[in-house]
Amino acid sequence: GCAAVNSGTSTTAVDVRNAAGWAVDALARIRKLSATVADHLDPAGIAVDAAGNLYIADPGNHRILKLTDGVPSIVSASFDHPTGVAVDRNGNLYIVDNHRVLKMTPSGTRSIVMENVDATGIAVDREGYLCILDSANHRILKLAPDGTWVRR
């Protein structure tokens, strides 16, 4: 389940299932979505890039949405069941999709970071390390910015 705490201008959304948190004005941004998009939205994970764009994993619609200044666009609508999304400082998206972690560059090129993983959470830390919560195996995987595994 999710919980949200509003503290002035920002909202901290905490996904209890994934034990991850974000301090963003996500609720206000999601409210700006057009009725057509919002009515069919099934959000499961969110991420914010350095420019303040909000990315939303939408598994019910098999897509990743990008929200820029309240205007939604579809990054890609060809996923199986995207449940998590993270973004690094270079604009690369990392998507949890049906027991895989995918990387999608700003130009749209996709690659598989990891397969056969029960990822329930994903994030990129301040140093650029990709952290993947693998709850089935009770571990946190960590991938360095240069692509080497720090913890596997």
Side-chain angles (χ1 to χ4, degrees), residues 8 16 23 27 31-32 40 44 57 62-64 71-72 76 88 104 110 112 115 122 131 136 143 145 149:
V16 178
L27 294 180
R31 283 188 198 116
K32 291 181 182 180
H40 302 288
H62 313 284
R63 66 186 177 182
I64 300 293
V71 178
S76 180
D88 68 17
M104 192 164 111
R110 290 189 197 185
I112 297 172
E115 292 185 287
I122 191 165
C131 302
L143 184 66
W149 287 98

Side-chain angles (χ1 to χ4, degrees), residues 19-82:
W22 303 270
V24 297
D25 57 345
L27 294 180
R29 292 180 191 198
I30 291 171
R31 283 188 198 116
K32 291 181 182 180
L33 288 171
S34 69
T36 304
V37 174
D39 286 346
H40 302 288
L41 187 63
D42 181 25
I46 61 171
V48 180
D49 68 13
N53 299 304
L54 179 68
Y55 295 87
I56 305 168
D58 185 8
N61 295 297
H62 313 284
R63 66 186 177 182
I64 300 293
L65 291 176
K66 179 180 179 183
L67 192 58
T68 303
D69 296 326
V71 178
S73 61
I74 297 173
V75 173
S76 180
S78 59
F79 293 100
D80 291 327
H81 193 77

Side-chain angles (χ1 to χ4, degrees), residues 1 3 16 18-19 26 37 39 44 46 65-66 78 91 100 102 106 109 112-114 119 127 137 145 147 151-152:
V16 178
N18 293 342
V37 174
D39 286 346
I46 61 171
L65 291 176
K66 179 180 179 183
S78 59
R100 298 177 300 169
L102 306 172
T109 302
I112 297 172
V113 174
M114 181 173 224
E127 285 92 35
N137 295 301
R151 187 179 318 139
R152 192 167 179 163

